[in-house]
Amino acid sequence: MKRKRFGDILVEGGLISMSQLEQALAYGKTNEVKLGQALLELGVVTEEAVARTIASQLHIPYVDLTKIVLDPDIVALIPEHMARKNKLIAIGKRAGEILVALSDPNDIYAMDEVDLHIKGKVIPCVAMESLLLKIIEQQYSGGTSEHGDLEQEDEGEAVAAINEVLLLASREVASDIHFEPDKNALRIRIRVDGLLKKIREYDLKLLPSLTSRIKIMAMLDIGEKRKPQDGRFEITVAGRDYDVRVSILPLNNGEKVVLRLLDKSKIKISLGDLGFEQNQQELFERHLAKPHEIILVTGPTGSGKTTTLYGALNRINNPNKNIITVEDPVEYELAGINQVQVNVKADLTFVSALRSILRQDPDIIMIGEIRDGETAEIAIQSALTGHLVMSTLHTNDSCSAVTRLLDMGIPPFLIASSLGLVLAQRLPRMLCPHCKKAMVVDEAIQEYFSDPSTLGREIFSPVGCPQCEGGFRGRVAIYELLEISEAIEKLIMLKESSRQISRQARSEGFTGIRQSGLAKVLSGQTSLDEVLRLSLDAEE
């Protein structure tokens, strides 16, 4: 890193003028203080503005330490004496990299000392010195406080509890955190790979301070305890950036808080990462290239429908396309895409937003969810008037999407002429590669597979080990894709049942969601029981 003088950085960044620099240098010489302190005492700049300007000019990240949850194991990578001496702290870890926060990245002696001590590439991040010193004191002194005030102690316990839970949830790659009050305790559960599990229990007296702290973080009304509230905040946990959605619901024993954790590293997810078979991905991409039709993604809540849509948007996003989404809520912010957040209080609904979007000259429209007939009709009319439209729908399988639209009152000829492709999906848990156990397909198991040659094949079942959760780690999507052929269009016009549509689709080579899941079983990615559990309600 090319070293620049502190004053030059601030002048080049437009934070101070040359005359202000000269004034501060003179003040510092007279009062025997450093330039930064002189600028603060003169009231020329704020500490945060200085830190942000340094980061911007040196092209390194700025970190707000009030919005970071530190992992003690990562903090311990730098010894206490080194952290205190050089005023720096390890704040996160990525593949082959350690993120280190410090106030003066131009301090080459501090950086050299850290580089020699840490195995891995050191990524410097700029932080405000006052916050940095406070965090160093908290982390290396065990978080003890000299204050005896009970309210301050409760607030400190609440912050510590929230940070502890966020850190555990991040380590477990959890999607949700539940803070649940019952008669005797505050129960904490997290959702990992689709299943909830209890991880902690706190004294119930901590609940008011904890909910108040979360409300402050999400900019909600801390005095409102009788009505549900929704909000959001951003936080960094052990080097991973999260957008956190907050839902607060009053219960008999107090307010229940649910946090949805959205990992920002997953924003750029591609279709190839989701679990499509090659022929399925090719079919999906053919339809994404079409200029006007509607594509629907179906499945129960939590089956990954929105993630699939985001993967599709990443695939087709380019400067030549005007892509607009309307979502409730906007889960991830996508670069180059215009995203609209539904706001019922401001009368910005799916319907009103869609009507406005159509006057914005869009090429592609993504609707977070089709919930009613009016939204469905506008979506279909948009496809018929020259737009590619994508949305989600709550049905168990792809063939049922047609009957769902009919039930919403959409005329069959509109569905037949606009609908191009319907995907249904599930998210089975993936087998842990460290402990999965091989087994042979016998006659009883072979009945689930349509191919007789599977008899005697090797598949795997879960075991469980320290590396996983009951034999599973992570999830993978399984899909069925219903392409609307001319024959299926005729069935739609006749208002035939989903079963009839399924029969016709299978005669054309359609593969149901269970069969897609069984292919993942044969490839060793998941277990037979897991696929059967998730496909019992699918049309087969």
Side-chain angles (χ1 to χ4, degrees), residues 180-199:
E180 301 172 315
D182 60 26
K183 290 181 180 179
N184 304 310
L186 174 59
R187 179 177 63 172
I188 314 297
R189 294 193 292 171
I190 61 174
R191 189 176 295 279
V192 180
D193 295 338
L195 301 178
L196 279 170
K197 70 170 186 176
K198 180 180 173 181
I199 58 166

Side-chain angles (χ1 to χ4, degrees), residues 219-443:
M219 295 177 28
L220 300 175
D221 183 354
I222 62 171
E224 179 58 72
K225 298 182 179 180
R226 297 173 298 174
K227 295 179 181 178
Q229 295 191 71
D230 296 303
R232 56 168 289 192
F233 63 87
E234 294 179 349
I235 197 163
T236 301
V237 183
R240 299 181 75 90
D241 296 328
Y242 290 94
D243 194 347
V244 182
R245 298 302 158 87
V246 180
S247 174
I248 299 177
L249 182 70
L251 304 178
N252 287 339
N253 299 311
E255 292 175 291
K256 172 174 176 173
V257 180
V258 175
L259 306 182
R260 166 65 57 89
L261 306 179
L262 301 171
D263 187 343
K264 290 187 177 182
S265 67
K266 296 181 179 177
I267 293 175
K268 296 186 181 293
I269 195 164
S270 69
L271 292 183
D273 297 328
L274 296 177
F276 284 102
E277 301 297 329
Q278 185 176 346
N279 64 323
Q280 292 178 330
Q281 185 169 333
E282 290 171 355
L283 175 59
F284 192 17
E285 290 184 352
R286 281 203 302 274
H287 281 268
L288 289 174
K290 294 190 176 182
H292 48 82
E293 68 173 32
I294 185 165
I295 297 173
L296 295 177
V297 182
T298 72
T301 301
S303 59
K305 299 185 294 295
T306 303
T307 301
T308 295
L309 285 183
Y310 278 162
L313 290 176
N314 283 328
R315 176 68 181 83
I316 59 180
N317 186 18
N318 69 68
N320 300 320
K321 299 290 185 183
N322 179 19
I323 303 176
I324 307 180
T325 75
V326 52
E327 305 169 64
D328 183 21
V330 173
E331 292 199 10
Y332 294 110
E333 293 181 3
L334 304 174
I337 292 176
N338 307 283
Q339 295 173 271
V340 178
Q341 168 78 52
V342 166
N343 186 342
V344 177
K345 291 181 181 177
D347 198 30
L348 183 61
T349 63
F350 277 112
V351 171
S352 63
L354 278 171
R355 286 178 175 147
S356 297
I357 283 171
L358 290 171
R359 295 191 287 271
Q360 290 282 315
D361 186 31
D363 296 295
I364 298 163
I365 300 170
M366 191 273 268
I367 306 166
E369 182 184 350
I370 292 178
R371 298 176 179 172
D372 53 59
E374 193 173 8
T375 305
E377 188 163 354
I378 295 174
I380 286 173
Q381 291 289 359
S382 300
L384 292 173
T385 53
H387 306 91
L388 175 64
V389 180
M390 295 185 287
S391 188
T392 69
L393 195 66
H394 277 286
T395 63
N396 287 330
D397 58 74
S398 56
C399 298
S400 298
V402 173
T403 52
R404 178 82 177 101
L405 292 172
L406 289 170
D407 290 342
M408 287 181 173
I410 307 300
F413 74 91
L414 287 180
I415 301 172
S417 55
S418 63
L419 190 59
L421 186 71
V422 184
L423 291 77
Q425 66 181 85
R426 299 289 191 279
L427 289 176
R429 293 174 294 167
M430 296 180 70
L431 286 164
C432 173
H434 301 286
C435 66
K436 63 182 182 181
K437 182 176 69 174
M439 58 186 292
V440 175
V441 175
D442 58 21
E443 291 183 358

